[in-house]
Amino acid sequence: MKSIANAILNLKERNIMQIRTAKIRLLILTGIGIFLGGCSISDWYNGYYVERSAISQSQKKEANYYNSESPEMQKLRKQNDKYCIDLAKKPENRVARAGYPNGVWNQGMFENCMEDRGTPTYETWAGMQKKKRDEELRAKGKRVM
C-alpha cells in the first residue's frame, strides 16, 4: 500500500514540475511573440529606413548638381538667386494664403525666373529631365503615366 501511495505522490510531483516548466516556456514564447509582433522588422525597413535613405539620396543628387557647375555658372547663379528672390518676395508678387495676411513668397515665380535667366534650380532641372524621358518613351510607343 505504501509503495502505491509513494508512486502516486511521485507522479503528482512530476506532473507539477512538468506543468511549471511548460508555463514558463509558454510565458517566454508569448513574450517573444508579442515583442516581435509589436516592432516588426518590415515596418521599420519600409517606413523609417527607406524614407531616410530616399532623403539622403536626394540630398546627394542635389549637392552633386550644384557642385558640378563651373565657377562662372556658380557666380551667375548667385547673382540670379539674389535677383529672383527679391522679385519673388516683392509685396505685389506674393501669393495669398490662408493665415498669412501679407501673403507668402512666390516659389513658382522664383523657379521660372531662375530658369529664364539660365540657371535652373535642381528641382526644375529634375522636372525637365523627367519630361525629356517621358517624351523619349512616348516616341518609342510606350505608355507614360
Side-chain angles (χ1 to χ4, degrees), residues 71-136:
E72 296 84 21
M73 188 67 135
Q74 288 178 351
K75 185 177 177 184
L76 179 62
R77 178 174 296 284
K78 284 182 183 178
Q79 292 171 353
N80 289 345
D81 192 50
K82 186 175 188 299
Y83 173 79
C84 293
I85 285 176
D86 289 341
L87 183 66
K89 283 188 174 181
K90 283 187 177 180
E92 61 268 15
N93 294 333
R94 292 185 180 186
V95 178
R97 293 261 168 87
Y100 297 93
N102 297 329
V104 295
W105 90 303
N106 196 334
Q107 177 73 28
M109 179 178 278
F110 170 76
E111 290 179 358
N112 288 338
C113 175
M114 291 293 283
E115 186 177 349
D116 293 342
R117 296 175 69 85
T119 52
T121 61
Y122 173 73
E123 292 81 11
T124 307
W125 177 80
M128 293 184 323
Q129 297 303 314
K130 184 179 182 323
K131 285 179 186 176
K132 286 181 184 178
R133 272 185 265 120
D134 289 350
E135 288 173 7
E136 290 172 2

Short mmCIF file of all heavy atoms in Angstrom, two decimals, residues 71-136:
data_model
loop_
_atom_site.label_atom_id
_atom_site.label_comp_id
_atom_site.label_asym_id
_atom_site.label_seq_id
_atom_site.Cartn_x
_atom_site.Cartn_y
_atom_site.Cartn_z
N PRO A 71 32.82 77.55 -62.12
CA PRO A 71 32.85 78.73 -61.25
C PRO A 71 32.08 79.92 -61.83
O PRO A 71 31.43 80.66 -61.08
CB PRO A 71 34.34 79.06 -61.14
CG PRO A 71 35.04 77.77 -61.42
CD PRO A 71 34.16 77.03 -62.38
N GLU A 72 32.10 80.08 -63.16
CA GLU A 72 31.35 81.18 -63.78
C GLU A 72 29.85 80.97 -63.58
O GLU A 72 29.10 81.92 -63.31
CB GLU A 72 31.66 81.28 -65.28
CG GLU A 72 33.09 81.63 -65.60
CD GLU A 72 34.01 80.42 -65.61
OE1 GLU A 72 33.52 79.27 -65.75
OE2 GLU A 72 35.22 80.61 -65.48
N MET A 73 29.41 79.72 -63.75
CA MET A 73 28.00 79.40 -63.58
C MET A 73 27.57 79.59 -62.13
O MET A 73 26.47 80.08 -61.86
CB MET A 73 27.72 77.96 -64.04
CG MET A 73 26.27 77.62 -64.07
SD MET A 73 25.45 78.56 -65.34
CE MET A 73 24.49 77.31 -66.09
N GLN A 74 28.43 79.25 -61.19
CA GLN A 74 28.10 79.44 -59.77
C GLN A 74 27.99 80.93 -59.43
O GLN A 74 27.11 81.33 -58.68
CB GLN A 74 29.16 78.78 -58.89
CG GLN A 74 29.08 77.26 -58.91
CD GLN A 74 30.16 76.60 -58.08
OE1 GLN A 74 31.09 77.25 -57.61
NE2 GLN A 74 30.05 75.29 -57.92
N LYS A 75 28.87 81.73 -60.03
CA LYS A 75 28.79 83.18 -59.82
C LYS A 75 27.50 83.73 -60.41
O LYS A 75 26.81 84.54 -59.76
CB LYS A 75 30.00 83.85 -60.47
CG LYS A 75 30.10 85.32 -60.22
CD LYS A 75 31.36 85.90 -60.82
CE LYS A 75 31.41 87.40 -60.63
NZ LYS A 75 32.56 88.00 -61.28
N LEU A 76 27.15 83.28 -61.61
CA LEU A 76 25.90 83.71 -62.25
C LEU A 76 24.70 83.25 -61.43
O LEU A 76 23.73 83.99 -61.26
CB LEU A 76 25.82 83.15 -63.67
CG LEU A 76 24.56 83.49 -64.47
CD1 LEU A 76 24.44 85.00 -64.67
CD2 LEU A 76 24.57 82.76 -65.79
N ARG A 77 24.78 82.04 -60.88
CA ARG A 77 23.67 81.52 -60.05
C ARG A 77 23.47 82.40 -58.82
O ARG A 77 22.33 82.69 -58.44
CB ARG A 77 23.94 80.08 -59.62
CG ARG A 77 22.85 79.51 -58.72
CD ARG A 77 23.05 78.06 -58.42
NE ARG A 77 22.95 77.22 -59.59
CZ ARG A 77 21.80 76.88 -60.19
NH1 ARG A 77 20.67 77.32 -59.73
NH2 ARG A 77 21.82 76.12 -61.25
N LYS A 78 24.55 82.85 -58.18
CA LYS A 78 24.42 83.72 -57.01
C LYS A 78 23.75 85.03 -57.37
O LYS A 78 22.89 85.53 -56.64
CB LYS A 78 25.80 83.98 -56.39
CG LYS A 78 26.35 82.83 -55.60
CD LYS A 78 27.69 83.18 -54.98
CE LYS A 78 28.26 81.98 -54.26
NZ LYS A 78 29.59 82.25 -53.69
N GLN A 79 24.14 85.61 -58.51
CA GLN A 79 23.53 86.87 -58.95
C GLN A 79 22.05 86.66 -59.26
O GLN A 79 21.19 87.45 -58.83
CB GLN A 79 24.24 87.40 -60.18
CG GLN A 79 25.65 87.87 -59.94
CD GLN A 79 26.38 88.20 -61.23
OE1 GLN A 79 25.87 87.95 -62.32
NE2 GLN A 79 27.58 88.74 -61.10
N ASN A 80 21.75 85.59 -60.01
CA ASN A 80 20.37 85.32 -60.36
C ASN A 80 19.53 84.99 -59.13
O ASN A 80 18.37 85.37 -59.04
CB ASN A 80 20.29 84.17 -61.36
CG ASN A 80 20.81 84.55 -62.72
OD1 ASN A 80 20.98 85.73 -63.03
ND2 ASN A 80 21.08 83.55 -63.54
N ASP A 81 20.13 84.26 -58.20
CA ASP A 81 19.42 83.89 -56.98
C ASP A 81 19.00 85.14 -56.21
O ASP A 81 17.85 85.25 -55.77
CB ASP A 81 20.33 82.99 -56.13
CG ASP A 81 19.59 82.33 -54.99
OD1 ASP A 81 18.52 81.73 -55.25
OD2 ASP A 81 20.07 82.39 -53.85
N LYS A 82 19.93 86.07 -56.06
CA LYS A 82 19.61 87.31 -55.33
C LYS A 82 18.51 88.09 -56.05
O LYS A 82 17.54 88.52 -55.42
CB LYS A 82 20.88 88.16 -55.22
CG LYS A 82 20.72 89.39 -54.37
CD LYS A 82 22.05 90.10 -54.22
CE LYS A 82 22.03 91.22 -53.24
NZ LYS A 82 21.16 92.31 -53.49
N TYR A 83 18.63 88.23 -57.37
CA TYR A 83 17.63 88.97 -58.13
C TYR A 83 16.25 88.31 -58.07
O TYR A 83 15.24 88.96 -57.82
CB TYR A 83 18.08 89.11 -59.60
CG TYR A 83 17.03 89.72 -60.48
CD1 TYR A 83 16.81 91.09 -60.49
CD2 TYR A 83 16.24 88.91 -61.31
CE1 TYR A 83 15.84 91.65 -61.29
CE2 TYR A 83 15.27 89.47 -62.12
CZ TYR A 83 15.07 90.83 -62.11
OH TYR A 83 14.10 91.38 -62.90
N CYS A 84 16.22 86.98 -58.26
CA CYS A 84 14.94 86.26 -58.31
C CYS A 84 14.27 86.19 -56.94
O CYS A 84 13.04 86.24 -56.85
CB CYS A 84 15.14 84.86 -58.89
SG CYS A 84 15.61 84.88 -60.63
N ILE A 85 15.06 86.09 -55.89
CA ILE A 85 14.47 86.10 -54.54
C ILE A 85 13.85 87.45 -54.25
O ILE A 85 12.73 87.53 -53.73
CB ILE A 85 15.53 85.73 -53.48
CG1 ILE A 85 15.81 84.23 -53.53
CG2 ILE A 85 15.06 86.12 -52.08
CD1 ILE A 85 16.91 83.76 -52.60
N ASP A 86 14.55 88.53 -54.61
CA ASP A 86 13.99 89.87 -54.40
C ASP A 86 12.70 90.03 -55.20
O ASP A 86 11.72 90.61 -54.71
CB ASP A 86 14.99 90.95 -54.81
CG ASP A 86 16.17 91.05 -53.84
OD1 ASP A 86 16.03 90.55 -52.71
OD2 ASP A 86 17.22 91.60 -54.23
N LEU A 87 12.69 89.53 -56.42
CA LEU A 87 11.50 89.62 -57.27
C LEU A 87 10.32 88.83 -56.68
O LEU A 87 9.20 89.32 -56.63
CB LEU A 87 11.82 89.10 -58.68
CG LEU A 87 10.71 89.19 -59.71
CD1 LEU A 87 10.41 90.65 -60.02
CD2 LEU A 87 11.13 88.46 -60.97
N ALA A 88 10.60 87.63 -56.21
CA ALA A 88 9.52 86.77 -55.69
C ALA A 88 9.01 87.24 -54.33
O ALA A 88 7.88 86.92 -53.97
CB ALA A 88 10.02 85.34 -55.58
N LYS A 89 9.82 88.01 -53.59
CA LYS A 89 9.38 88.47 -52.27
C LYS A 89 8.72 89.84 -52.29
O LYS A 89 8.25 90.30 -51.26
CB LYS A 89 10.59 88.52 -51.32
CG LYS A 89 11.00 87.17 -50.82
CD LYS A 89 12.05 87.29 -49.75
CE LYS A 89 12.36 85.94 -49.16
NZ LYS A 89 13.36 86.03 -48.08
N LYS A 90 8.69 90.49 -53.45
CA LYS A 90 8.04 91.80 -53.52
C LYS A 90 6.57 91.66 -53.11
O LYS A 90 5.92 90.67 -53.44
CB LYS A 90 8.14 92.37 -54.92
CG LYS A 90 9.49 92.92 -55.26
CD LYS A 90 9.48 93.62 -56.58
CE LYS A 90 10.83 94.23 -56.86
NZ LYS A 90 10.84 94.91 -58.15
N PRO A 91 6.05 92.67 -52.41
CA PRO A 91 4.66 92.58 -51.94
C PRO A 91 3.64 92.36 -53.06
O PRO A 91 2.66 91.64 -52.88
CB PRO A 91 4.42 93.93 -51.27
CG PRO A 91 5.78 94.41 -50.88
CD PRO A 91 6.72 93.87 -51.91
N GLU A 92 3.87 92.94 -54.22
CA GLU A 92 2.90 92.78 -55.32
C GLU A 92 2.98 91.39 -55.96
O GLU A 92 2.06 90.99 -56.68
CB GLU A 92 3.09 93.87 -56.39
CG GLU A 92 4.45 93.87 -57.06
CD GLU A 92 5.47 94.77 -56.38
OE1 GLU A 92 5.26 95.20 -55.24
OE2 GLU A 92 6.49 95.03 -57.04
N ASN A 93 4.05 90.65 -55.72
CA ASN A 93 4.19 89.32 -56.31
C ASN A 93 3.88 88.19 -55.32
O ASN A 93 3.94 87.03 -55.70
CB ASN A 93 5.61 89.12 -56.83
CG ASN A 93 5.90 90.03 -58.00
OD1 ASN A 93 5.01 90.43 -58.72
ND2 ASN A 93 7.17 90.40 -58.16
N ARG A 94 3.56 88.53 -54.08
CA ARG A 94 3.30 87.49 -53.08
C ARG A 94 2.00 86.74 -53.39
O ARG A 94 1.09 87.28 -54.01
CB ARG A 94 3.21 88.10 -51.69
CG ARG A 94 4.55 88.61 -51.23
CD ARG A 94 4.49 89.10 -49.84
NE ARG A 94 5.81 89.57 -49.44
CZ ARG A 94 6.10 89.95 -48.23
NH1 ARG A 94 5.20 89.90 -47.29
NH2 ARG A 94 7.31 90.36 -47.95
N VAL A 95 1.95 85.50 -52.92
CA VAL A 95 0.78 84.64 -53.13
C VAL A 95 -0.07 84.66 -51.87
O VAL A 95 0.44 84.47 -50.76
CB VAL A 95 1.23 83.19 -53.44
CG1 VAL A 95 0.04 82.28 -53.62
CG2 VAL A 95 2.11 83.18 -54.67
N ALA A 96 -1.38 84.87 -52.04
CA ALA A 96 -2.29 84.91 -50.89
C ALA A 96 -2.50 83.49 -50.36
O ALA A 96 -2.76 82.56 -51.12
CB ALA A 96 -3.61 85.52 -51.31
N ARG A 97 -2.37 83.33 -49.06
CA ARG A 97 -2.62 82.05 -48.39
C ARG A 97 -3.40 82.31 -47.12
O ARG A 97 -3.24 83.35 -46.48
CB ARG A 97 -1.30 81.36 -48.02
CG ARG A 97 -0.47 80.90 -49.17
CD ARG A 97 -0.67 79.41 -49.42
NE ARG A 97 -0.12 78.99 -50.68
CZ ARG A 97 1.13 78.61 -50.87
NH1 ARG A 97 1.96 78.59 -49.87
NH2 ARG A 97 1.53 78.24 -52.06
N ALA A 98 -4.21 81.35 -46.75
CA ALA A 98 -5.00 81.46 -45.52
C ALA A 98 -4.06 81.53 -44.32
O ALA A 98 -3.13 80.75 -44.20
CB ALA A 98 -5.94 80.28 -45.38
N GLY A 99 -4.32 82.49 -43.44
CA GLY A 99 -3.50 82.64 -42.24
C GLY A 99 -2.30 83.55 -42.42
O GLY A 99 -1.59 83.82 -41.47
N TYR A 100 -2.06 84.00 -43.65
CA TYR A 100 -0.95 84.91 -43.92
C TYR A 100 -1.52 86.17 -44.55
O TYR A 100 -1.73 86.23 -45.77
CB TYR A 100 0.07 84.26 -44.87
CG TYR A 100 0.74 83.04 -44.30
CD1 TYR A 100 0.22 81.77 -44.52
CD2 TYR A 100 1.87 83.17 -43.50
CE1 TYR A 100 0.83 80.65 -43.99
CE2 TYR A 100 2.48 82.05 -42.97
CZ TYR A 100 1.95 80.79 -43.21
OH TYR A 100 2.56 79.69 -42.68
N PRO A 101 -1.78 87.21 -43.75
CA PRO A 101 -2.43 88.41 -44.29
C PRO A 101 -1.60 89.13 -45.36
O PRO A 101 -2.16 89.74 -46.26
CB PRO A 101 -2.63 89.30 -43.06
CG PRO A 101 -1.72 88.76 -42.02
CD PRO A 101 -1.49 87.32 -42.33
N ASN A 102 -0.28 89.03 -45.29
CA ASN A 102 0.57 89.69 -46.28
C ASN A 102 0.99 88.74 -47.40
O ASN A 102 1.77 89.13 -48.27
CB ASN A 102 1.82 90.26 -45.61
CG ASN A 102 1.48 91.34 -44.61
OD1 ASN A 102 0.50 92.05 -44.77
ND2 ASN A 102 2.27 91.46 -43.57
N GLY A 103 0.53 87.50 -47.37
CA GLY A 103 0.88 86.52 -48.39
C GLY A 103 2.24 85.89 -48.13
O GLY A 103 2.93 86.24 -47.18
N VAL A 104 2.58 84.94 -48.96
CA VAL A 104 3.87 84.26 -48.85
C VAL A 104 4.63 84.46 -50.15
O VAL A 104 4.07 84.83 -51.17
CB VAL A 104 3.69 82.74 -48.57
CG1 VAL A 104 3.05 82.52 -47.22
CG2 VAL A 104 2.88 82.07 -49.65
N TRP A 105 5.91 84.18 -50.11
CA TRP A 105 6.73 84.42 -51.29
C TRP A 105 6.34 83.48 -52.42
O TRP A 105 5.86 82.38 -52.20
CB TRP A 105 8.20 84.37 -50.94
CG TRP A 105 8.86 83.03 -51.03
CD1 TRP A 105 8.50 81.89 -50.41
CD2 TRP A 105 9.99 82.72 -51.83
NE1 TRP A 105 9.35 80.89 -50.74
CE2 TRP A 105 10.27 81.37 -51.62
CE3 TRP A 105 10.79 83.44 -52.69
CZ2 TRP A 105 11.32 80.73 -52.24
CZ3 TRP A 105 11.84 82.81 -53.30
CH2 TRP A 105 12.09 81.46 -53.08
N ASN A 106 6.57 83.92 -53.64
CA ASN A 106 6.09 83.23 -54.83
C ASN A 106 7.16 82.25 -55.33
O ASN A 106 8.06 82.63 -56.09
CB ASN A 106 5.76 84.28 -55.89
CG ASN A 106 4.92 83.72 -56.99
OD1 ASN A 106 4.94 82.53 -57.26
ND2 ASN A 106 4.15 84.60 -57.64
N GLN A 107 7.04 80.99 -54.92
CA GLN A 107 8.02 79.96 -55.29
C GLN A 107 8.03 79.73 -56.79
O GLN A 107 9.08 79.58 -57.40
CB GLN A 107 7.70 78.66 -54.55
CG GLN A 107 8.59 77.50 -54.90
CD GLN A 107 9.99 77.63 -54.32
OE1 GLN A 107 10.17 78.26 -53.29
NE2 GLN A 107 10.95 77.03 -54.97
N GLY A 108 6.85 79.69 -57.41
CA GLY A 108 6.77 79.47 -58.85
C GLY A 108 7.47 80.56 -59.64
O GLY A 108 8.17 80.29 -60.62
N MET A 109 7.28 81.81 -59.22
CA MET A 109 7.93 82.93 -59.89
C MET A 109 9.45 82.82 -59.75
O MET A 109 10.18 83.08 -60.71
CB MET A 109 7.44 84.26 -59.33
CG MET A 109 8.08 85.47 -59.98
SD MET A 109 7.45 87.01 -59.33
CE MET A 109 5.98 87.17 -60.30
N PHE A 110 9.91 82.43 -58.57
CA PHE A 110 11.34 82.26 -58.34
C PHE A 110 11.92 81.20 -59.28
O PHE A 110 12.94 81.44 -59.93
CB PHE A 110 11.60 81.88 -56.87
CG PHE A 110 13.02 81.47 -56.60
CD1 PHE A 110 14.01 82.42 -56.51
CD2 PHE A 110 13.36 80.13 -56.46
CE1 PHE A 110 15.33 82.05 -56.27
CE2 PHE A 110 14.66 79.76 -56.21
CZ PHE A 110 15.65 80.72 -56.12
N GLU A 111 11.28 80.05 -59.36
CA GLU A 111 11.79 78.97 -60.21
C GLU A 111 11.76 79.35 -61.69
O GLU A 111 12.71 79.06 -62.44
CB GLU A 111 11.00 77.68 -59.96
CG GLU A 111 11.31 77.09 -58.59
CD GLU A 111 10.52 75.84 -58.29
OE1 GLU A 111 9.69 75.42 -59.13
OE2 GLU A 111 10.73 75.28 -57.20
N ASN A 112 10.69 80.02 -62.13
CA ASN A 112 10.62 80.46 -63.53
C ASN A 112 11.68 81.51 -63.84
O ASN A 112 12.29 81.50 -64.91
CB ASN A 112 9.23 81.01 -63.85
CG ASN A 112 8.19 79.92 -63.94
OD1 ASN A 112 8.51 78.75 -64.17
ND2 ASN A 112 6.93 80.29 -63.75
N CYS A 113 11.91 82.42 -62.89
CA CYS A 113 12.92 83.45 -63.07
C CYS A 113 14.31 82.82 -63.21
O CYS A 113 15.08 83.18 -64.11
CB CYS A 113 12.89 84.42 -61.89
SG CYS A 113 14.18 85.67 -61.90
N MET A 114 14.61 81.87 -62.34
CA MET A 114 15.92 81.20 -62.39
C MET A 114 16.09 80.45 -63.71
O MET A 114 17.16 80.49 -64.33
CB MET A 114 16.08 80.24 -61.22
CG MET A 114 16.21 80.91 -59.87
SD MET A 114 17.71 81.84 -59.66
CE MET A 114 18.87 80.53 -59.37
N GLU A 115 15.04 79.79 -64.16
CA GLU A 115 15.11 79.04 -65.42
C GLU A 115 15.27 79.98 -66.61
O GLU A 115 16.09 79.74 -67.51
CB GLU A 115 13.84 78.19 -65.59
CG GLU A 115 13.88 77.27 -66.77
CD GLU A 115 12.65 76.40 -66.86
OE1 GLU A 115 11.86 76.36 -65.91
OE2 GLU A 115 12.48 75.76 -67.92
N ASP A 116 14.53 81.09 -66.61
CA ASP A 116 14.61 82.05 -67.71
C ASP A 116 15.98 82.72 -67.78
O ASP A 116 16.45 83.07 -68.87
CB ASP A 116 13.53 83.13 -67.56
CG ASP A 116 12.12 82.58 -67.75
OD1 ASP A 116 11.98 81.46 -68.32
OD2 ASP A 116 11.16 83.25 -67.31
N ARG A 117 16.64 82.88 -66.66
CA ARG A 117 17.94 83.53 -66.62
C ARG A 117 19.09 82.53 -66.82
O ARG A 117 20.26 82.90 -66.72
CB ARG A 117 18.10 84.30 -65.32
CG ARG A 117 17.09 85.46 -65.22
CD ARG A 117 17.14 86.18 -63.91
NE ARG A 117 18.35 86.95 -63.71
CZ ARG A 117 18.55 88.19 -64.14
NH1 ARG A 117 17.60 88.80 -64.82
NH2 ARG A 117 19.67 88.81 -63.88
N GLY A 118 18.77 81.26 -67.08
CA GLY A 118 19.80 80.28 -67.46
C GLY A 118 20.40 79.48 -66.33
O GLY A 118 21.38 78.77 -66.54
N THR A 119 19.84 79.59 -65.13
CA THR A 119 20.37 78.81 -64.00
C THR A 119 19.20 78.12 -63.28
O THR A 119 18.79 78.55 -62.21
CB THR A 119 21.11 79.72 -63.01
OG1 THR A 119 20.25 80.80 -62.65
CG2 THR A 119 22.40 80.24 -63.59
N PRO A 120 18.66 77.06 -63.88
CA PRO A 120 17.51 76.41 -63.24
C PRO A 120 17.89 75.78 -61.90
O PRO A 120 19.02 75.33 -61.71
CB PRO A 120 17.09 75.35 -64.25
CG PRO A 120 18.30 75.08 -65.06
CD PRO A 120 19.08 76.37 -65.10
N THR A 121 16.93 75.76 -61.00
CA THR A 121 17.15 75.10 -59.71
C THR A 121 17.20 73.59 -59.95
O THR A 121 16.81 73.10 -61.01
CB THR A 121 16.03 75.42 -58.71
OG1 THR A 121 14.80 74.96 -59.25
CG2 THR A 121 15.95 76.91 -58.42
N TYR A 122 17.65 72.85 -58.95
CA TYR A 122 17.74 71.40 -59.09
C TYR A 122 16.37 70.79 -59.36
O TYR A 122 16.23 69.91 -60.21
CB TYR A 122 18.36 70.78 -57.84
CG TYR A 122 18.32 69.27 -57.86
CD1 TYR A 122 19.18 68.56 -58.68
CD2 TYR A 122 17.42 68.56 -57.08
CE1 TYR A 122 19.15 67.18 -58.73
CE2 TYR A 122 17.38 67.19 -57.12
CZ TYR A 122 18.24 66.50 -57.95
OH TYR A 122 18.19 65.13 -58.00
N GLU A 123 15.35 71.26 -58.64
CA GLU A 123 14.00 70.72 -58.82
C GLU A 123 13.48 70.96 -60.23
O GLU A 123 12.89 70.08 -60.85
CB GLU A 123 13.04 71.33 -57.79
CG GLU A 123 13.31 70.92 -56.36
CD GLU A 123 14.43 71.73 -55.71
OE1 GLU A 123 14.86 72.75 -56.27
OE2 GLU A 123 14.88 71.30 -54.63
N THR A 124 13.72 72.15 -60.77
CA THR A 124 13.30 72.46 -62.13
C THR A 124 14.06 71.61 -63.13
O THR A 124 13.48 71.08 -64.07
CB THR A 124 13.54 73.96 -62.42
OG1 THR A 124 12.93 74.74 -61.41
CG2 THR A 124 12.97 74.34 -63.77
N TRP A 125 15.36 71.47 -62.90
CA TRP A 125 16.18 70.65 -63.80
C TRP A 125 15.72 69.20 -63.79
O TRP A 125 15.63 68.56 -64.83
CB TRP A 125 17.64 70.75 -63.38
CG TRP A 125 18.56 69.89 -64.17
CD1 TRP A 125 19.07 70.15 -65.42
CD2 TRP A 125 19.06 68.61 -63.79
NE1 TRP A 125 19.87 69.11 -65.82
CE2 TRP A 125 19.87 68.15 -64.84
CE3 TRP A 125 18.92 67.81 -62.68
CZ2 TRP A 125 20.53 66.93 -64.80
CZ3 TRP A 125 19.56 66.60 -62.62
CH2 TRP A 125 20.36 66.16 -63.68
N ALA A 126 15.42 68.66 -62.59
CA ALA A 126 14.95 67.27 -62.48
C ALA A 126 13.62 67.11 -63.21
O ALA A 126 13.38 66.09 -63.88
CB ALA A 126 14.82 66.86 -61.02
N GLY A 127 12.75 68.11 -63.11
CA GLY A 127 11.47 68.06 -63.83
C GLY A 127 11.67 68.08 -65.33
O GLY A 127 10.97 67.38 -66.08
N MET A 128 12.64 68.89 -65.80
CA MET A 128 12.92 68.94 -67.25
C MET A 128 13.46 67.59 -67.73
O MET A 128 13.11 67.13 -68.81
CB MET A 128 13.92 70.06 -67.55
CG MET A 128 13.36 71.44 -67.31
SD MET A 128 14.41 72.86 -67.75
CE MET A 128 16.05 72.39 -67.34
N GLN A 129 14.31 66.95 -66.92
CA GLN A 129 14.85 65.64 -67.29
C GLN A 129 13.74 64.60 -67.36
O GLN A 129 13.73 63.76 -68.27
CB GLN A 129 15.92 65.20 -66.27
CG GLN A 129 17.13 66.09 -66.22
CD GLN A 129 17.82 66.22 -67.57
OE1 GLN A 129 18.03 65.23 -68.26
NE2 GLN A 129 18.13 67.44 -67.97
N LYS A 130 12.79 64.66 -66.44
CA LYS A 130 11.68 63.72 -66.45
C LYS A 130 10.83 63.92 -67.70
O LYS A 130 10.40 62.95 -68.34
CB LYS A 130 10.82 63.87 -65.20
CG LYS A 130 9.71 62.85 -65.10
CD LYS A 130 8.91 63.03 -63.84
CE LYS A 130 7.81 62.01 -63.66
NZ LYS A 130 7.10 61.59 -64.83
N LYS A 131 10.58 65.17 -68.07
CA LYS A 131 9.80 65.45 -69.28
C LYS A 131 10.51 64.90 -70.52
O LYS A 131 9.88 64.33 -71.40
CB LYS A 131 9.59 66.96 -69.45
CG LYS A 131 8.55 67.53 -68.51
CD LYS A 131 8.41 69.03 -68.73
CE LYS A 131 7.50 69.64 -67.70
NZ LYS A 131 7.41 71.10 -67.83
N LYS A 132 11.84 65.06 -70.57
CA LYS A 132 12.60 64.52 -71.71
C LYS A 132 12.49 63.01 -71.79
O LYS A 132 12.27 62.45 -72.86
CB LYS A 132 14.08 64.92 -71.60
CG LYS A 132 14.35 66.36 -71.93
CD LYS A 132 15.84 66.65 -71.81
CE LYS A 132 16.14 68.11 -72.04
NZ LYS A 132 17.57 68.40 -71.87
N ARG A 133 12.63 62.34 -70.62
CA ARG A 133 12.50 60.87 -70.60
C ARG A 133 11.11 60.43 -71.03
O ARG A 133 10.97 59.47 -71.79
CB ARG A 133 12.80 60.33 -69.20
CG ARG A 133 14.26 60.04 -68.98
CD ARG A 133 14.50 59.39 -67.63
NE ARG A 133 14.85 60.46 -66.69
CZ ARG A 133 14.18 60.77 -65.59
NH1 ARG A 133 13.16 60.08 -65.21
NH2 ARG A 133 14.57 61.77 -64.83
N ASP A 134 10.09 61.14 -70.56
CA ASP A 134 8.71 60.80 -70.93
C ASP A 134 8.49 60.96 -72.43
O ASP A 134 7.84 60.13 -73.07
CB ASP A 134 7.71 61.66 -70.16
CG ASP A 134 7.65 61.30 -68.68
OD1 ASP A 134 8.22 60.26 -68.29
OD2 ASP A 134 7.01 62.06 -67.92
N GLU A 135 9.04 62.04 -73.01
CA GLU A 135 8.90 62.26 -74.45
C GLU A 135 9.61 61.17 -75.25
O GLU A 135 9.10 60.70 -76.26
CB GLU A 135 9.44 63.63 -74.82
CG GLU A 135 8.56 64.78 -74.35
CD GLU A 135 9.21 66.13 -74.57
OE1 GLU A 135 10.28 66.21 -75.21
OE2 GLU A 135 8.63 67.13 -74.11
N GLU A 136 10.78 60.77 -74.77
CA GLU A 136 11.51 59.68 -75.45
C GLU A 136 10.73 58.38 -75.39
O GLU A 136 10.65 57.64 -76.39
CB GLU A 136 12.89 59.50 -74.82
CG GLU A 136 13.85 60.62 -75.10
CD GLU A 136 15.14 60.50 -74.30
OE1 GLU A 136 15.29 59.51 -73.55
OE2 GLU A 136 15.98 61.40 -74.42
#
